[in-house]
Amino acid sequence: MQNTNNKSPHLLILGPLDFPGATAPSARVKAYGRGIIENGGKVTVLSYRPCHGRIAIPIKGVVDEIHYLYTCGRTLRPRSFVMKLYYEVIGILKAFKIIHKIHKSDPFDAILFYAIHTIVGGIFIFWAHRLKIQILEEKCEFQFRNRKGFFCAASAWIYERWVVPSFDGMVIMTDALEKYYRPLMKINQKILRMPILVDMSRFENIPKNSVDKY
């Protein structure tokens, strides 16, 4: 991230995230956040979808100095497909308003997309570039392994031919992913290789003879 205003770099992580949670995406987002914060930056996580399956958590809070907010106003997944769609649409629409409000008082230097949908990503890219915010995407797996059916094939085509070239850069986990996505990107787009991240503090002070699984 470039910091041209002599202020602490501010990263926004955006996506359908269960942060804070126990899943791999949540742990990876937390690791990104801690890295930025330990180097003098600030991190905000916005989730536009209710992603928690069993236990509802507060819709906003601070975890390890990372500020998070569920823009949909709910963290527990609804059972009904209609209600899931409703909360996601509401979350996306409110995300635009919230990002604009935060950006006016504490500008974002970059937005990092995490598991964001093709169409949603395209709209956010167009809008964020008008606000002069850099757009990055995290890529830890192949997004379109299944391209059966018109909708999946069309989404993959739009994403690879239009969305990917619109990023300012990508954060990629593996050699295979870099070899696949590099030809789809423009020459001036940057790639940061970020392998599997492990927070070793999670394994501190665990007895060697513990009967619990960890």
Side-chain angles (χ1 to χ4, degrees), residues 24-152:
S26 180
R28 196 161 169 86
V29 166
K30 184 178 179 181
Y32 287 139
R34 286 186 60 185
I36 295 292
I37 290 168
E38 288 174 5
N39 284 276
K42 293 175 287 187
V43 177
T44 299
V45 176
L46 296 183
S47 178
Y48 57 75
R49 179 191 296 171
C51 295
H52 289 265
R54 294 183 180 180
I55 301 174
I57 66 170
I59 63 170
K60 65 178 179 179
V62 182
V63 177
D64 290 341
E65 300 184 59
I66 302 171
H67 292 258
Y68 77 88
L69 170 66
Y70 282 75
T71 61
C72 54
R74 177 188 174 115
T75 60
L76 199 61
R77 274 196 309 269
R79 294 184 179 181
S80 164
F81 172 78
V82 174
M83 293 307 295
K84 288 179 182 178
L85 183 61
Y86 167 78
Y87 278 107
E88 182 155 346
V89 171
I90 292 298
I92 291 169
L93 294 176
K94 286 187 176 181
F96 284 104
K97 181 178 180 181
I98 292 168
I99 292 171
H100 188 267
K101 181 179 179 180
I102 297 175
H103 187 64
K104 286 174 65 178
S105 59
D106 189 7
F108 295 111
D109 295 275
I111 298 177
L112 176 64
F113 287 166
Y114 200 108
I116 205 161
H117 189 274
T118 295
I119 296 174
V120 176
I123 296 172
F124 270 110
I125 288 171
F126 176 79
W127 180 69
H129 279 165
R130 291 176 66 87
L131 296 178
K132 298 182 179 179
I133 305 174
Q134 294 187 72
I135 300 293
L136 311 172
E137 188 185 38
E138 208 272 1
K139 189 62 64 181
C140 57
E141 63 181 16
F142 290 100
Q143 186 167 348
F144 294 99
R145 288 172 291 183
N146 178 15
R147 303 193 182 208
K148 296 180 180 179
F150 174 79
F151 181 78
C152 288

